[in-house]
Amino acid sequence: LQKSLNETFGADKYSEARKEVLTNMFSRPMQMALYFCTGVLEDETLFRHYALNVPFYTHFTSPIRRYADIIVHRLLSASLGASSPIKMEKEAIQRQADHCNDRKMASKRVQELSADLFFAIFVRVRA
């Protein structure tokens, strides 16, 4: 797919813009990752990472980026015995995960609407 897209982009001054638009359009249908507390979910198949084909998976980035990553770092640290357990009930952790998911989806929606707006402007100017 990537090879086919690269051939489609061309080499003119708008090739990078086409690349961004098409890449964005192809990635939209992909399922968005969700934060959740494993202690409240009974179905362990939800812990699986489909693309990596691993049964248990967690993801995080630098804890300076997102609050959810701070929670994941603290929970992993406690589970490895490197720090004391955090003083949050699993239901409270799930509420935080739900809030982070809501904010992430709202942010993604604004990003998509912004991309749609700029694409419309791009098409209008080119027409």
Side-chain angles (χ1 to χ4, degrees), residues 16-26 115 119 122:
E16 278 302 309
R18 278 193 300 276
K19 178 181 176 182
E20 283 191 43
V21 168
L22 290 174
T23 300
N24 182 283
M25 291 173 80
F26 281 119
F119 180 66
F122 174 76

Side-chain angles (χ1 to χ4, degrees), residues 15-78:
S15 62
E16 278 302 309
R18 278 193 300 276
K19 178 181 176 182
E20 283 191 43
V21 168
L22 290 174
T23 300
N24 182 283
M25 291 173 80
F26 281 119
S27 65
R28 276 190 190 181
M30 298 174 90
Q31 183 179 3
M32 198 165 159
L34 296 174
Y35 295 108
F36 61 90
C37 177
T38 59
V40 298
L41 295 179
E42 293 180 12
D43 184 1
E44 288 189 0
T45 62
L46 297 174
F47 306 170
R48 171 174 208 78
H49 190 289
Y50 177 78
L52 295 177
N53 195 27
V54 293
F56 297 101
Y57 178 82
T58 190
H59 171 80
F60 56 90
T61 61
S62 170
I64 63 171
R65 290 193 58 208
R66 295 182 291 232
Y67 181 68
D69 296 319
I70 293 171
I71 296 290
V72 171
H73 274 252
R74 290 177 182 169
L75 290 169
L76 284 174
S77 179

Side-chain angles (χ1 to χ4, degrees), residues 21 42 57 76 86 92-93 98 116 124:
V21 168
E42 293 180 12
Y57 178 82
L76 284 174
I86 64 173
I93 293 170
D98 290 339
D116 290 347
R124 185 176 186 187

Side-chain angles (χ1 to χ4, degrees), residues 52-115:
L52 295 177
N53 195 27
V54 293
F56 297 101
Y57 178 82
T58 190
H59 171 80
F60 56 90
T61 61
S62 170
I64 63 171
R65 290 193 58 208
R66 295 182 291 232
Y67 181 68
D69 296 319
I70 293 171
I71 296 290
V72 171
H73 274 252
R74 290 177 182 169
L75 290 169
L76 284 174
S77 179
S79 70
L80 295 172
S83 65
S84 58
I86 64 173
K87 296 179 180 5
M88 287 178 76
E89 296 293 323
K90 59 187 174 185
E91 292 79 15
I93 293 170
Q94 184 58 49
R95 282 192 302 276
Q96 288 294 324
D98 290 339
H99 178 72
C100 289
N101 290 331
D102 289 344
R103 298 296 82 216
K104 186 169 70 165
M105 287 189 189
S107 173
K108 183 170 176 54
R109 183 68 182 135
V110 169
Q111 180 182 7
E112 289 173 351
L113 289 170
S114 175

